[in-house]
Amino acid sequence: MKSFPKLLCLSLFALCIFPLPAHSYNDADLQAALAANEAEPRLVEFKDNQTNLKLKLEVLDTINANRAKNGLAPVQLDILACRVANKSAFDAVDGGFSGHWNLKGEKPYHRYAFAGGTEHTNENAAKYTGIELEGAKKYSTVLQAAIKAHTLMYDEKAPDDGHRRNILNPWHTHAGVGFAFDKEKGMCYYEHYLDRYLQFDAFSPKAARETDVTLTGAVTADGYGLYHMIVYYEAPLTPMFVDDINKKHYYEDFSKSVAENLPFWKLGYDDATKRFQVSFKTGKPGLYYVHIYVKKGHTGKEPQGAVSTRGLTPVSGIVIRVE
């Protein structure tokens, strides 16, 4: 299996002038975002107001303009991803750290899954100084700062271009943006990119030891079929110190311990209805991180043989907690 790119954290300093995007979102986009914002019951304490949603739609215009330059489809604004990004930013500012971990030892995919997300997510993170707290109350200043953070990540050069590769991942379908300010600690800015190809039925995020966990749902992306599942085991999370978080500049999207590895012929999938049912067995206490892969043109009826996830991206990010 090809390993997933490591995702980096960027530290920035001083507020330079970056061109603001032309308004390409329309009122229908804003109304749809407002409606989705009202309908989303999760992480309501990090709910955006209308002004913040407008700002995030403008940032999304920049993200999509950069994707379009590279021949990629646009991503849509996702409300839960915005709230997770908001929480990540506020936690970082309050805790005085920057990066992809938090004080609980959670990585981005932990935070998104624990909030109720099921899609695979990749995070971009940046922290910088040079913006005054009074300026943070001005729409244009905050927008300028967010555009700056995104643009500097987009302009990265190989081989240190983890943020750029995340922005330009062709598998991404949705994105969320979050930020927080502090006069002494600066601004923390987060982008969460999602890969939404599956719809899961309700399930419990907790399970007992030595039991079977079954996940059901449907493939929602046209032309794709269920292809592979890998479940990674992680030991229970342990708290982290600020200095340890600040020293970590990237995170890996999986662990080195595989709890289950199932090719398509061992997965329950009906290409006619697009419905699936997959299962794995838990073991010792900890976290079980579920990566499901889909493949274009795959029906699940292909002959058994070698399976490769090269060129593919996991499209699920469910984390099951076993205590």
Side-chain angles (χ1 to χ4, degrees):
M1 172 188 164
K2 182 182 178 182
S3 58
F4 202 79
K6 296 175 179 178
L7 303 177
L8 308 178
C9 176
L10 186 66
S11 294
L12 314 171
F13 300 91
L15 182 61
C16 308
I17 300 301
F18 282 77
L20 296 178
H23 291 261
S24 62
Y25 78 89
N26 55 36
D27 186 63
D29 296 325
L30 176 58
Q31 295 306 315
L34 288 169
N37 197 38
E38 291 303 314
E40 176 56 70
R42 297 167 290 188
L43 288 185
V44 292
E45 63 272 35
F46 294 98
K47 179 180 179 180
D48 286 304
N49 59 27
Q50 181 169 325
T51 299
N52 278 354
L53 284 178
K54 287 182 178 179
L55 189 148
K56 292 182 179 187
L57 285 169
E58 291 203 58
V59 175
L60 193 73
D61 286 344
T62 296
I63 292 172
N64 283 330
N66 288 333
R67 286 177 63 86
K69 291 174 188 175
N70 293 271
L72 300 175
V75 291
Q76 301 176 43
L77 191 71
D78 183 81
I79 297 301
L80 180 60
C82 283
R83 293 184 187 178
V84 173
N86 287 344
K87 186 178 187 303
S88 297
F90 277 100
D91 287 348
V93 166
D94 289 345
F97 59 85
S98 63
H100 296 294
W101 278 260
N102 62 16
L103 295 174
K104 295 179 180 179
E106 296 170 345
K107 293 182 183 180
Y109 59 82
H110 295 135
R111 298 193 293 274
Y112 183 68
F114 294 163
T118 59
E119 296 84 5
H120 182 253
T121 184
N122 290 135
E123 180 183 86
N124 280 352
K127 180 177 181 178
Y128 61 91
T129 58
I131 179 171
E132 297 295 332
L133 190 61
E134 286 302 312
K137 298 178 181 178
K138 299 178 181 178
Y139 184 96
S140 60
T141 303
V142 177
L143 179 59
Q144 179 73 66
I147 296 297
K148 172 199 172 181
H150 171 79
T151 301
L152 288 178
M153 292 190 286
Y154 172 75
D155 287 341
E156 290 174 344
K157 305 297 181 184
D160 299 319
D161 61 342
H163 294 103
R164 178 183 173 88
R165 286 184 285 118
N166 192 18
I167 294 166
L168 299 181
N169 187 326
W171 285 85
H172 294 336
T173 61
H174 294 72
V177 174
F179 46 82
F181 297 90
D182 181 86
K183 185 176 182 180
E184 304 295 332
K185 302 171 185 176
M187 174 187 179
C188 288
Y189 173 84
Y190 285 80
E191 295 175 346
H192 277 259
Y193 292 92
L194 307 181
D195 308 313
R196 182 167 294 158
Y197 293 74
L198 306 174
Q199 178 66 52
F200 288 91
D201 301 327
F203 64 92
S204 174
K206 296 182 180 180
R209 307 178 196 181
E210 304 296 336
T211 60
D212 290 327
V213 173
T214 298
L215 301 170
T216 61
V219 177
T220 56
D222 290 341
Y224 287 84
L226 210 68
Y227 182 64
H228 196 59
M229 180 177 76
I230 302 176
V231 181
Y232 296 95
Y233 169 78
E234 301 177 44
L237 298 177
T238 56
M240 295 179 67
F241 293 106
V242 169
D243 287 346
D244 293 329
I245 297 173
N246 289 337
K247 290 176 183 177
K248 291 179 174 288
H249 300 296
Y250 63 84
Y251 73 95
E252 291 185 327
D253 188 45
F254 48 83
S255 71
K256 293 180 172 60
S257 178
V258 175
E260 190 63 271
N261 191 340
L262 298 177
F264 63 87
W265 60 86
K266 292 186 178 181
L267 302 176
Y269 174 63
D270 181 359
D271 195 58
T273 63
K274 297 297 182 180
R275 295 284 302 172
F276 65 80
Q277 177 175 306
V278 297
S279 299
F280 66 91
K281 192 176 186 65
T282 64
K284 56 189 175 181
L287 303 176
Y288 292 77
Y289 181 33
V290 182
H291 275 189
I292 295 176
Y293 292 82
V294 295
K295 189 174 182 180
K296 198 171 185 65
H298 198 74
T299 67
K301 298 179 181 179
E302 288 77 6
Q304 298 180 16
V307 172
S308 172
T309 58
R310 183 178 181 83
L312 304 181
T313 290
V315 296
S316 68
I318 289 172
V319 177
I320 302 295
R321 194 192 303 266
V322 175
E323 298 177 340

